[in-house]
Amino acid sequence: CSRPYLLFVGGISPHKNLCTLLDAMDLVLEDHDVQLVMVGDPLASGFLTNCSELQAKIDASEVLKAHCTFTGFVPDETLVALYSRAQALMFPSLGEGFGLPAVEAMSQGVPVLASSAGSLQEIVGDAGLYYPPLDAAEMARKINAFLSDPTLQTTLRERALERVKRFTWERAADLAMESLTRAAN
């Protein structure tokens, strides 16, 4: 991608709220020349896809068509490269149980611009910016504020690298053991 880009990683399904993200991007593109790269397999088993609806929304707009890309599935090496060059991870979900892509992004020093719904604020903490998931105008305001402020970008990158230190496999194992011990007692 030759221009700066925002990255989405996840399933291409209605609860990921990509329709609202596309509406927000339509507003962002009035002020910023930025790409939206969406990584995810629309045919992954077990997921309800709305890929055709999203593609139709993109195809109906010359601006979105020129600035939005679906990659489909990508191998891990490619995904790491995409994270490492992204301006930010977009996480507009209507609800998430954990949000692994947020942790993956933070491990690369990538800020997370996320929905205020679900667990994302707890996961991302001060390494991101938040918006109501169904408010495309507010989502666009947060994206524009981020893209317009290099100091904010640097601050959030530094915070991401610090925040991700909380998410280790060792800590996950310790928490799982604590939970199992409590349940057994």
Side-chain angles (χ1 to χ4, degrees):
C1 194
S2 61
R3 63 174 63 104
Y5 63 91
L6 302 170
L7 181 65
F8 166 83
V9 176
I12 311 299
S13 54
H15 80 280
K16 297 296 185 176
N17 197 30
L18 295 177
C19 281
T20 305
L21 177 58
L22 292 175
D23 290 341
M25 285 301 296
D26 217 10
L27 299 170
V28 168
L29 292 167
E30 294 173 6
D31 298 316
H32 296 280
D33 184 22
V34 65
Q35 191 80 13
L36 175 62
V37 176
M38 295 170 282
V39 176
D41 185 355
L43 304 176
S45 61
F47 289 102
L48 171 65
T49 185
N50 65 337
C51 195
S52 58
E53 175 188 6
L54 297 168
Q55 192 62 59
K57 187 183 251 321
I58 291 168
D59 290 344
S61 164
E62 290 303 317
V63 173
L64 289 178
K65 213 183 314 188
H67 290 85
C68 298
T69 304
F70 282 108
T71 66
F73 171 82
V74 298
D76 288 343
E77 309 80 48
T78 304
L79 185 57
V80 170
L82 285 168
Y83 275 126
S84 69
R85 294 184 192 107
Q87 297 294 301
L89 176 72
M90 298 305 305
F91 217 140
S93 294
L94 299 174
E96 286 294 328
F98 180 74
L100 186 58
V103 175
E104 292 173 337
M106 290 187 302
S107 76
Q108 298 295 310
V110 176
V112 180
L113 308 185
S115 160
S116 57
S119 66
L120 294 172
Q121 291 181 73
E122 183 180 341
I123 301 302
V124 176
D126 66 354
L129 299 177
Y130 305 95
Y131 43 79
L134 295 175
D135 188 340
E138 182 60 20
M139 190 184 302
R141 276 191 288 280
K142 294 290 182 169
I143 296 168
N144 280 329
F146 174 80
L147 292 173
S148 299
D149 188 342
T151 302
L152 176 62
Q153 293 171 29
T154 299
T155 299
L156 292 179
R157 281 187 185 92
E158 290 168 357
R159 289 178 182 172
L161 289 169
E162 190 59 36
R163 180 82 181 168
V164 77
K165 292 176 184 176
R166 298 173 176 226
F167 301 98
T168 65
W169 286 115
E170 184 178 299
R171 183 165 182 258
D174 289 345
L175 290 171
M177 281 305 295
E178 286 176 24
S179 294
L180 293 170
T181 301
R182 275 196 312 270
N185 292 335

